[in-house]
Amino acid sequence: MTPPVLPSRRACLISLWGTVLPAGLAYAGRQIEEPLSHAVRSALSAAVAAAAPPEPLLPTAVDQQAYAQWQVAISQRLTRYKKHPIERQEFLQTLWYEARRAGLPLSWVLGVVQVESAFRKYAISSAGARGYMQVMPFWARLIGDGDDSRLFHMQTNLRFGCVILRHYLDRERGDIFMALGRYNGSRGQSAYPQAVQAAQRGWLHAVD
């Protein structure tokens, strides 16, 4: 079966997995450190470094209502992972901001976070990947300021993860299956993309 292709930057993706990872484990592969052209490295670095508070851009009353409805619905589903309501609110506000900024569907990013770290801020994989989106430390050197300890900071981690996902998606010309494989360091293998796309179903919402 031909893998799905994302036709545009704003197009929606699919699915989400309902398995809770054991404490202390993270489902992240060993992302491959590949040479980046100067132009690509500069563009990614600028995308990560751009300073802006995680305030959702909601220009109309309709947008504001849609965001509020999404917050309520997704917060309820997230309770199993994050018990504290303020923590859930801050996490979802930041994820909305960074996913929208990168042009990624919200449910897809939530799916990646669930599979990668089970929503654990300080998760570390056996390969050394860190935080919610299990970002490998070499990315801090390639496109950040070199301080890989910042990958445990919520907004930094989500921004890196979304920028890297966007990069891989563009590189694979919208092919979700292959982009997810690159993100996990298992390009061409089905287990990880299927896990994310299965997980995503639990986070789908009308505003996606």
Side-chain angles (χ1 to χ4, degrees):
M1 182 175 179
T2 304
V5 173
L6 189 64
S8 71
R9 187 177 178 84
R10 295 286 174 181
C12 289
L13 315 181
I14 21 185
S15 331
L16 234 203
W17 188 39
T19 306
V20 179
L21 297 179
L25 298 182
Y27 188 3
R30 185 178 294 278
Q31 286 175 353
I32 299 171
E33 182 174 356
E34 301 173 282
L36 300 175
S37 70
H38 177 71
V40 170
R41 188 169 58 251
S42 295
L44 291 176
S45 180
V48 165
E55 289 292 334
L57 303 177
L58 307 167
T60 70
V62 173
D63 293 329
Q64 294 165 14
Q65 182 179 30
Y67 172 69
Q69 291 173 344
W70 177 83
Q71 268 269 10
V72 171
I74 302 302
S75 181
Q76 290 174 346
R77 302 175 203 176
L78 192 59
T79 302
R80 65 185 294 195
Y81 298 102
K82 291 187 173 295
K83 305 299 182 185
H84 198 285
I86 294 178
E87 183 184 4
R88 291 199 305 274
Q89 179 187 4
E90 291 176 348
F91 174 81
L92 290 175
Q93 177 175 315
T94 305
L95 185 138
W96 171 292
Y97 181 90
E98 296 301 339
R100 289 292 196 234
R101 182 175 179 273
L104 301 173
L106 301 163
S107 63
W108 193 38
V109 177
L110 283 162
V112 169
V113 175
Q114 182 182 333
V115 172
E116 288 286 347
S117 67
F119 296 93
R120 289 179 296 113
K121 181 177 182 178
Y122 297 107
I124 302 178
S125 76
S126 59
R130 300 184 178 192
Y132 287 120
M133 296 190 75
Q134 290 293 277
V135 178
M136 290 291 288
F138 69 76
W139 285 108
R141 173 174 50 81
L142 286 177
I143 61 176
D145 60 7
D147 183 1
D148 58 21
S149 68
R150 294 181 62 218
L151 296 177
F152 290 120
H153 177 261
M154 178 173 62
Q155 186 178 5
T156 301
N157 189 276
L158 293 176
R159 177 165 293 189
F160 264 85
C162 287
V163 166
I164 294 164
L165 271 176
R166 181 76 251 173
H167 167 61
Y168 285 148
L169 194 58
D170 290 343
R171 184 167 178 179
E172 294 292 349
R173 299 184 179 184
D175 188 318
I176 301 166
F177 180 90
M178 299 303 286
L180 284 171
R182 273 192 186 278
Y183 190 84
N184 181 248
S186 59
R187 186 176 185 271
Q189 300 177 36
S190 63
Y192 178 79
Q194 287 177 353
V196 172
Q197 292 181 321
Q200 190 179 358
R201 282 191 295 271
W203 306 106
L204 286 171
H205 189 273
V207 302
D208 213 36

